[in-house]
Amino acid sequence: MNQTILAQSNFKIGKSTANEMKISGTSSFHDWKMRTSTFSGKASCTIGADDQVSKLSSLEFNLPVLTLKSGQKKLDKNAYKALKTDEFKEILYKQTQAKIMSFTNSKSHIKTEGKLTVAGVSKDVIIDLYCFKNKNGSMSCDGNYQINMKDYNVTPPVFMGGIMKTGEAITLAFSLQFEKY
């Protein structure tokens, strides 16, 4: 009789070049993106004998807003102002529940519920994650979430005296690689 022992493992976001968070949106002139690889987070999960994530007990991340860069100083400055970085330095997510939805090609589709905090306003959100165990024992999770800035009391930035306006919807997309600790 075969017995498989499943153990809870704790992970933290490592220093992988695969780590990236992006915020992107639209404007009346062109689409825009801001990126960073500087953020922190941790997760606790159970990985089954088949090397698939079978339970996600907790996941959280902390994104320092001032690390987001677009390559255009004026765009960055306006985004920081809109996100009220003088008062609120971080975008935060903390999972409260998770449900494994499916397993496909060694990836676990996980529906997480949690609190997303942007510009000091916290909202209940549902974020779909796609997680898998890497050969080196680390765990990778990818996902994205569309945010309406007004839901977080963020006024979409306006440039050039109102000629250029950004859309209300932005997308937070992320690729996270967690290392065991």
Side-chain angles (χ1 to χ4, degrees), residues 98-103 108-112 128-129:
K99 181 179 179 184
I100 305 295
M101 302 304 291
S102 64
F103 301 106
S108 300
H109 171 200
I110 306 168
K111 188 171 287 295
T112 68
D128 287 313
L129 297 177

Side-chain angles (χ1 to χ4, degrees), residues 74-75 87 110 140:
K74 193 152 184 101
L75 189 148
E87 191 175 350
I110 306 168
S140 293

Side-chain angles (χ1 to χ4, degrees), residues 3-108:
Q3 282 190 320
T4 302
I5 298 174
L6 300 177
Q8 186 86 5
S9 297
N10 294 314
F11 294 85
K12 65 180 180 177
I13 292 178
K15 298 193 183 295
S16 170
T17 56
N19 286 328
E20 182 178 59
M21 286 201 184
K22 295 185 279 193
I23 293 181
S24 59
T26 61
S27 76
S28 51
F29 283 157
H30 57 78
D31 293 350
W32 56 270
K33 275 186 189 157
M34 299 177 79
R35 304 170 188 256
T36 187
S37 59
T38 305
F39 48 88
S40 61
K42 58 186 178 178
S44 183
C45 70
T46 302
I47 297 178
D50 54 3
D51 282 344
Q52 292 181 327
V53 177
S54 59
K55 180 179 181 184
L56 184 61
S57 301
S58 67
L59 182 132
E60 57 187 67
F61 63 76
N62 174 333
L63 168 58
V65 178
L66 292 174
T67 66
L68 288 163
K69 304 291 181 200
S70 68
Q72 300 173 16
K73 287 184 181 184
K74 193 152 184 101
L75 189 148
D76 295 350
K77 182 180 173 185
N78 285 325
Y80 300 153
K81 183 178 176 184
L83 291 168
K84 306 171 189 169
T85 56
D86 56 330
E87 191 175 350
F88 306 106
K89 306 286 186 212
E90 301 159 329
I91 293 173
L92 306 167
Y93 176 72
K94 185 167 185 163
Q95 171 198 311
T96 56
Q97 294 186 71
K99 181 179 179 184
I100 305 295
M101 302 304 291
S102 64
F103 301 106
T104 308
N105 298 329
S106 75
K107 279 191 178 185
S108 300

